[in-house]
Amino acid sequence: MNPVPAADTQDTPGTPDTFAGLYGRPAEGEWAAPGRVNLIGEHTDYNLGYVLPIAIPQTVRAQAARRDDGLLRLWSAQGRGPVTELRLADLAPGAVPGWSAYPAGVVWALREAGHRIGGADIRLDSDVPGGAGLSSSAALECVVATAYDDLYGLGLSGTELALLAQRAENAFVGVPCGIMDQMASMCCRPGAALFLDSRDVTMRQVPVDLAAAGLALLVLDTRVKHDLGDGAYAALRAGCERAAALLGLPALRSLDPAGLAGALSELPPELGPLVRHVVTENARVEAAVAHLDAGDPAAIGPILTAGHASLRDDYRVSCPETDLAVEAAVAAGAHGARMTGGGFGGSVIALVDAAGAEHVAAAVTAAFRAAGYREPRTLTAVPADGARRLA
Ligand code: ADP
Ligand code: MG
């Protein structure tokens, strides 16, 4: 634990409504970084495979100003607490509790990488729903990384900042996530999906014009998050690594689909379905990109639904709520639907005709009501911009 008493200066924290009210001086700038939905390519990033996320319009925003006394001060409208004050010199993995670990971890990762940075006052606000599988954590990390890059003139690329943000989440917060979420938040562009190869962290922007095709992408937040999530994620990841090692591969990404049947016959039965999911999911990403390149986004619908079946039956990370949302959306006319994000709750995406969007959302809501579940929260996702300076 590193919180130290608030510095006894003119910037003793005050009203949190504005940066000046909080810190007693103006901000030097304001930055934003978005949440994301992944169109297809789930649990593939840490297997060094393909993913295809889009940024959503919802962002975490940071107003910030440098400090030269080695202090990092953080406040978030969603943090529901006073200003957290930390000494840069004391930042260490596991030392910062609660949400502050995400932004503090980014500052720690920048220092660890040898960048010459000082402290900062940071005020955060967000409209990315937290814990909904829309990656509010990566948005939080990436907005802080982007603000620091600008404030201290570091000149780092989006990919470099994403890798530092991932290191913050892995090593400082202690969540063993892959690289998708941070790359999506940093590098997505409006009107495009990010086709990312997680092995070498190279990417291509793939245009997605849903409106021109008469389509819309619904995001149905189930508002459930089953507890087994975190431990199960680590166990799945370990299972994939064990399977790759048994097959003599650096990662499951390296297994060609043509070699899948042979691989399955060699592996212990509990690992086979994991491998099948990863190999078929990578192929689904490539197929989805081909349809988008051909200007036929509706054709990715069945790929989404097949991806959900693979997550449900092979990877086993869906849950009754996400399964019901997918089933009800498809029954109501969606071209396809799947859970998005790590699983065990969170959000479902449904590719729908724009004209039928309300009907599909209403059908899912009715199905949830009939099952006795909380009503889902519905957003419409338009491929939006990645991390950027606002002011
Ligand atoms: P997801 O990334 O899918 O939203 P996570 O569990 O990975 O879910 O991250 C959610 C956590 O990120 C929250 O519990 C909180 O600690 C942190 N977080 C996200 N956004 C904010 C915010 N605006 N202010 C403070 N903490 C936030
Ligand atoms: Mg997260």
Side-chain angles (χ1 to χ4, degrees):
M1 281 264 296
N2 290 312
V4 295
D8 185 17
T9 64
Q10 79 283 5
D11 41 41
T12 297
T15 164
D17 296 346
T18 62
F19 187 91
L22 199 56
Y23 294 119
R25 64 191 180 121
E28 291 185 73
E30 182 172 5
W31 294 263
R36 61 99 189 91
V37 292
N38 187 20
L39 294 179
I40 189 77
E42 214 65 75
H43 290 279
T44 46
D45 61 352
Y46 55 82
N47 289 300
L48 305 189
Y50 300 123
V51 295
L52 191 65
I54 62 169
I56 57 176
Q58 289 75 15
T59 58
V60 178
R61 289 166 306 282
Q63 297 168 296
R66 287 168 289 182
R67 294 182 69 94
D68 59 11
D69 59 358
L71 292 182
L72 174 65
R73 303 208 297 176
L74 302 164
W75 183 86
S76 168
Q78 287 71 42
R80 290 197 201 88
V83 170
T84 305
E85 187 166 294
L86 304 162
R87 286 184 218 279
L88 297 195
D90 293 342
L91 295 179
V96 179
W99 67 268
S100 302
Y102 295 91
V106 170
V107 176
W108 169 82
L110 284 165
R111 280 167 58 89
E112 281 270 303
H115 298 294
R116 297 174 65 85
I117 54 171
D121 288 335
I122 304 180
R123 181 185 185 280
L124 297 151
D125 201 351
S126 173
D127 61 352
V128 183
L134 303 178
S135 207
S136 67
S137 61
L140 175 57
E141 292 149 11
C142 289
V143 77
V144 171
T146 303
Y148 252 87
D149 182 61
D150 261 3
L151 285 172
Y152 283 99
L154 303 179
L156 297 172
S157 68
T159 302
E160 288 169 317
L161 293 172
L163 286 164
L164 287 164
Q166 183 202 17
R167 178 155 159 68
E169 187 149 346
N170 289 170
F172 197 91
V173 183
V175 177
C177 60
I179 189 59
M180 169 172 68
D181 296 349
Q182 290 80 9
M183 280 298 288
S185 188
M186 285 304 313
C187 298
C188 279
R189 292 294 165 254
L194 187 79
F195 179 28
L196 175 72
D197 183 337
S198 303
R199 181 161 61 188
D200 53 8
V201 199
T202 53
M203 64 192 140
R204 177 160 74 83
Q205 304 289 343
V206 180
V208 183
D209 192 344
L210 296 177
L215 299 170
L217 190 68
L218 284 180
V219 180
L220 303 146
D221 171 10
T222 64
R223 303 207 278 172
V224 294
K225 182 81 194 161
H226 295 290
D227 271 349
L228 65 169
D230 291 348
Y233 184 94
L236 288 162
R237 198 176 163 150
C240 289
E241 282 161 11
R242 196 152 67 86
L246 288 171
L247 296 168
L249 300 170
L252 289 182
R253 143 68 180 273
S254 305
L255 180 57
D256 193 83
L260 179 60
L264 294 179
S265 68
E266 282 175 40
L267 289 168
E270 74 276 13
L271 296 181
L274 301 184
V275 174
R276 185 164 52 221
H277 169 73
V278 173
V279 170
T280 59
E281 185 79 350
N282 274 324
R284 280 186 287 272
V285 177
E286 291 184 289
V289 168
H291 288 306
L292 293 177
D293 281 338
D296 187 9
I300 74 171
I303 297 174
L304 304 185
T305 309
H308 185 80
S310 180
L311 290 166
R312 182 190 61 212
D313 302 335
D314 274 347
Y315 222 67
R316 309 186 73 164
V317 293
S318 74
C319 63
E321 293 86 353
T322 50
D323 290 345
L324 180 61
V326 166
E327 202 180 290
V330 171
H335 294 275
R338 62 182 286 273
M339 52 153 276
T340 187
F344 309 107
S347 294
V348 162
I349 55 171
L351 184 66
V352 299
D353 289 328
E358 276 181 34
H359 171 68
V360 173
V364 174
T365 301
F368 268 48
R369 214 178 284 138
Y373 299 154
R374 268 174 96 190
E375 283 191 18
R377 189 167 28 201
T378 306
L379 315 169
T380 303
V382 180
D385 204 1
R388 60 207 180 263
R389 187 170 192 146
L390 297 177

